[in-house]
Amino acid sequence: MKSSVRWILIGAFALVFLAGLACGFITSPFVLAHRMQHGMMADHMLDRLQNQLRLTPEQREKIKPIAEKTASELQNVRRETGQRIRDILMASHREIVPLLTPEQRERLQRMEERHRRQMRRGLP
């Protein structure tokens, strides 16, 4: 096998590995977001401020809408960032696939199917 083809294949495998790693990294915030809907997140923020700053009831009531707005904005940022990362990974995938052998493409497809099944079950 030519040295350049070998390095291309090594690079392709490295990119696929990094893509899988990135997918795991991407899903972590979504799992957290699923478990901590923005209302719960706002409550958590308020509780933390309450405990650390010893807020008065009046301060807590004034801060509550700010915490709710912040939680909602953070949820939007997570969603937008996740979509952008998925788009980047898909573009990378489209560049990698032509460099793979048919056998490697099949393996990659099985890896992706396994990943999708795990995501549906909520596994990392």
Side-chain angles (χ1 to χ4, degrees):
M1 180 183 317
K2 286 187 176 180
S3 179
S4 61
V5 173
R6 184 172 154 226
W7 282 110
I8 288 173
L9 290 175
I10 290 171
F13 281 120
L15 283 173
V16 170
F17 173 78
L18 291 174
L21 188 63
C23 286
F25 179 75
I26 292 166
T27 59
S28 296
F30 293 111
V31 170
L32 178 62
H34 178 70
R35 291 182 182 158
M36 249 178 114
Q37 296 299 323
H38 96 267
M40 289 176 61
M41 187 183 300
D43 289 342
H44 176 74
M45 290 168 57
L46 277 171
D47 290 344
R48 187 168 163 224
L49 290 170
Q50 176 70 46
N51 291 334
Q52 293 184 6
L53 302 177
R54 296 182 178 96
L55 299 175
T56 66
E58 295 82 22
Q59 288 174 315
R60 185 176 173 99
E61 285 306 309
K62 288 179 181 177
I63 292 172
K64 185 176 179 175
I66 298 168
E68 290 172 347
K69 181 181 90 172
T70 300
S72 178
E73 290 173 355
L74 288 172
Q75 204 169 29
N76 289 336
V77 167
R78 274 194 202 101
R79 192 173 15 260
E80 292 165 3
T81 301
Q83 183 58 51
R84 184 162 181 234
I85 291 171
R86 279 189 296 278
D87 293 345
I88 291 168
L89 289 173
M90 287 175 61
S92 170
H93 178 88
R94 284 190 297 271
E95 291 181 52
I96 292 170
V97 169
L99 303 174
L100 302 177
T101 66
E103 180 183 322
Q104 291 167 330
R105 288 179 189 158
E106 282 182 36
R107 277 193 232 154
L108 179 61
Q109 186 175 7
R110 285 194 303 269
M111 286 170 48
E112 291 169 341
E113 289 169 2
R114 186 172 48 247
H115 179 72
R116 278 191 290 275
R117 280 193 308 272
Q118 289 174 337
M119 293 302 298
R120 280 192 297 267
R121 288 184 293 182
L123 299 175

